[in-house]
Amino acid sequence: MVFVSDAIPVHSLPKTPSQVPALKIFRFKNSLDVQKDGPIQSEPISLPITPLPTDAPHRHTYYEILFIEEGQGFHEIDFHSYNIQGAGLHFLTPGQVHLLTFSTSFQGYIVAFSEDFYTFYNPVNPSLSQLPFFQPARRQPILTLSESDKHYFHNILENMVTDHLNAETDQTLIGRYLGLLLQKCAFLTQHNAQSAESSALSVPELAGRFQELVEKNFRQMHEVQQYASQLSVTPDYLSKIIKKALGVSCQEYILDKLLLEAKRLLVFSNLSSKEIAYHIQMDDPSYFSRIFKKKTGLTPNEYREHVRKSTI
């Protein structure tokens, strides 16, 4: 495991001249064509290799879709390790800490985009937080693809890349490609959830809006009242809906987000426990240590040592 000396590296996308945050498409660092002397026909050499250190822990301010056509390895996302075996789509939301470990060459694309880019060009489509693979509480970050589905996405992305590399292409077209790509992903995800239990577990709109707010504001907003006020409901009503929909109280859901961020920083940075408490705006480091131990059974420093040792 690779550690950083301060905080976890955070990568952002540049903006277009119109100030609409840009969408970028990259090849994997160890793509088959990257390792050869020249390009192959299906992979334009002008498409850049991702400049980021994908094999070291990092996170983004943007969304990311990894389309893997071929390859084997592991994808670690927020302390969960996913085995990569062949074709699949991997979905990442802003703030998640992840890294890729390759055991073979990869073939495919990395699509990086902001929420603003998606909503600007797809104003009538469902919001990103409504899509099953981006929902905060029930993320399904991996979509395994059949051979026919792999060809379907290959064709979409090859056309998308061709237009992306054409300087004369209207960005509206790229935005619509992204909308189509995500609609197809949502359809396949829902189609694959065959049990009645899966459909019964759909998250009510209010709970989804609460999750979205927490995802964006958990560092600054720690109280249920703050979220209830923004959602124009009473704290008691919000708590009732969240408990029924997610199986945890509002306060516990917020706390879990705070502790996940603390765990990320404990494992992937060298910030002290006190610095981490201030980072998540818990002004009493001793309270942070007590609540962390109550939830995990370990002090922050014990947790850091335990997880780092287990991954060496």
Side-chain angles (χ1 to χ4, degrees):
M1 181 176 290
V2 179
F3 305 110
V4 291
S5 59
D6 189 7
I8 304 165
V10 180
H11 304 290
S12 301
L13 287 171
K15 292 189 176 182
T16 62
S18 64
Q19 294 304 300
V20 177
L23 174 144
K24 295 292 183 183
I25 307 177
F26 303 105
R27 293 175 293 162
F28 291 99
K29 284 187 181 298
N30 67 340
S31 293
L32 295 175
D33 58 312
V34 174
Q35 298 174 353
K36 296 178 180 179
D37 293 333
I40 57 176
Q41 291 297 317
S42 62
E43 298 282 352
I45 194 62
S46 52
L47 186 67
I49 303 163
T50 176
L52 308 180
T54 52
D55 59 348
H58 65 283
R59 56 173 147 200
H60 316 120
T61 60
Y62 49 86
Y63 289 80
E64 201 169 67
I65 303 170
L66 312 184
F67 171 52
I68 300 171
E69 290 190 80
E70 298 176 20
Q72 294 183 357
F74 291 92
H75 192 182
E76 295 180 40
I77 308 172
D78 276 342
F79 307 106
H80 296 281
S81 185
Y82 301 93
N83 188 27
I84 301 171
Q85 290 281 353
L89 286 153
H90 296 214
F91 305 93
L92 291 157
T93 58
Q96 289 187 294
V97 177
H98 78 117
L99 64 96
L100 281 168
T101 303
F102 305 104
S103 55
T104 67
S105 298
F106 269 37
Q107 194 71 7
Y109 298 108
I110 300 171
V111 182
F113 62 96
S114 73
E115 184 175 9
D116 286 345
F117 184 91
Y118 169 78
T119 55
F120 187 85
Y121 293 114
N122 298 277
V124 299
N125 283 15
S127 67
L128 292 174
S129 63
Q130 290 180 288
L131 300 174
F133 33 82
F134 289 142
Q135 280 184 353
R138 294 198 178 93
R139 288 194 182 103
Q140 303 170 46
I142 311 297
L143 177 59
T144 302
L145 299 178
S146 67
E147 195 65 23
S148 61
D149 289 333
K150 181 181 81 168
H151 288 305
Y152 182 94
F153 285 105
H154 174 86
N155 291 335
I156 287 182
L157 281 156
E158 282 230 322
N159 289 328
M160 190 175 178
V161 166
T162 299
D163 287 323
H164 176 66
L165 293 172
N166 185 345
E168 297 180 1
T169 298
D170 187 336
Q171 284 292 293
T172 301
L173 181 59
I174 306 301
R176 300 264 172 84
Y177 271 125
L178 178 63
L180 174 63
L181 177 68
L182 289 172
Q183 280 185 290
K184 181 66 173 179
C185 291
F187 171 79
L188 288 177
T189 301
Q190 291 160 1
H191 180 73
N192 291 344
Q194 296 176 351
S195 69
E197 184 182 11
S198 295
S199 59
L201 288 174
S202 60
V203 180
E205 181 183 357
L206 180 62
R209 290 169 61 200
F210 168 75
Q211 292 173 285
E212 190 173 356
L213 275 177
V214 173
E215 199 75 12
K216 294 178 179 178
N217 301 287
F218 67 87
R219 292 181 189 84
Q220 312 91 266
M221 293 167 53
H222 296 178
E223 303 301 325
V224 176
Q225 172 65 54
Q226 295 171 290
Y227 293 97
S229 177
Q230 289 210 17
L231 293 167
S232 301
V233 296
T234 66
D236 286 346
Y237 180 74
L238 180 61
S239 297
K240 181 180 177 181
I241 294 298
I242 296 307
K243 183 70 174 179
K244 184 176 180 180
L246 305 181
V248 296
S249 69
C250 287
Q251 197 64 63
E252 188 175 2
Y253 186 87
I254 297 165
L255 181 59
D256 285 344
K257 288 296 176 186
L258 286 165
L259 293 185
L260 174 58
E261 177 66 5
K263 290 174 182 177
R264 290 165 174 162
L265 292 168
L266 284 166
V267 175
F268 299 120
S269 85
N270 287 329
L271 294 176
S272 69
S273 175
K274 183 177 180 179
E275 289 171 322
I276 290 171
Y278 290 142
H279 176 80
I280 61 176
Q281 299 190 25
M282 284 189 175
D283 295 332
D284 183 352
S286 61
Y287 171 74
F288 164 66
S289 295
R290 289 197 304 273
I291 201 73
F292 190 95
K293 184 168 184 178
K294 182 179 178 181
K295 292 286 286 185
T296 67
L298 300 169
T299 67
N301 288 335
E302 288 171 344
Y303 181 87
R304 168 178 274 162
E305 184 178 355
H306 172 74
V307 175
R308 287 186 174 182
K309 279 185 176 178
S310 68
T311 54
I312 291 175

